[in-house]
Amino acid sequence: MSKVSLLLLVGVLASCTAPQRPYQFSMHSEKSQAMPQLRAALAEQGHETEYIDDQAGIIRTRWMDTGFMMGQVQGQTATVVRRYTVVLVTQPDGSLSLTLRADTKKCAQYGFEFAGEMVTGACESMNELAGPHQEELNVLGSQLQARINPGQPQA
């Protein structure tokens, strides 16, 4: 296989999308203790929180441009923007279930703005994750799990 063919193949594979697999785990902790630990763990990994609802157990990070180029939006090269959402749910046995997911959009490069919890401009919602984003979600999930459940086996 020539170098050019190999580079084209790598480019095609990198632009593939796949259904998102949220990262999930259970823990024995109080929501009131887990929420500050999760916020701190997200901050340590460079994800500043934009929205927090301690009662509902929801944390959302700020939107970020991933720099991952993918197709076009309105005839312009598109970049993928992403934020993470953490949801804690109390189970009947008193344990907590954590779900981490990525919210993603494909936006025209230089044609969008972050406005608090919103992304405005030429964007399209994505139901799938692009390129390396599933692995990045899994790594962040395992880091949160290690912070909240030190010494426990990870998913």
Side-chain angles (χ1 to χ4, degrees), residues 88 107 109 124 144 151:
L88 283 177
C107 299
Q109 189 178 23
E124 298 172 358
L144 296 179

Side-chain angles (χ1 to χ4, degrees), residues 31-135:
K31 195 181 286 187
S32 61
Q33 294 173 337
M35 291 292 285
Q37 289 177 322
L38 289 167
R39 287 193 300 271
L42 286 165
E44 286 172 5
Q45 300 306 317
H47 301 287
E48 191 175 339
T49 55
E50 179 70 36
Y51 174 85
I52 301 163
D53 184 335
D54 287 320
Q55 282 292 100
I58 299 172
I59 301 171
R60 285 192 199 105
T61 65
R62 290 185 185 266
W63 285 99
M64 292 176 53
D65 184 347
T66 66
F68 189 88
M69 301 302 171
M70 184 175 174
Q72 293 190 331
V73 170
Q74 297 181 357
Q76 296 182 351
T77 300
T79 184
V80 176
V81 298
R82 169 184 64 203
R83 72 175 176 192
Y84 290 109
T85 298
V86 176
V87 179
L88 283 177
V89 176
T90 304
Q91 299 300 309
D93 68 358
S95 67
L96 292 175
S97 170
L98 180 141
T99 300
L100 172 67
R101 73 170 189 270
D103 304 318
T104 56
K105 294 180 183 235
K106 183 168 70 167
C107 299
Q109 189 178 23
Y110 312 116
F112 68 94
E113 289 184 6
F114 299 123
E117 278 207 87
M118 298 178 5
V119 180
T120 60
C123 296
E124 298 172 358
S125 292
M126 297 176 60
N127 294 323
E128 298 182 323
L129 293 182
H133 295 162
Q134 180 65 54
E135 181 59 27

Side-chain angles (χ1 to χ4, degrees), residues 23 41 45 136 138-148 154:
Y23 191 96
Q45 300 306 317
E136 292 170 5
N138 294 344
V139 167
L140 180 59
S142 67
Q143 291 167 335
L144 296 179
Q145 185 174 3
R147 173 75 182 254
I148 299 296
Q154 295 186 9

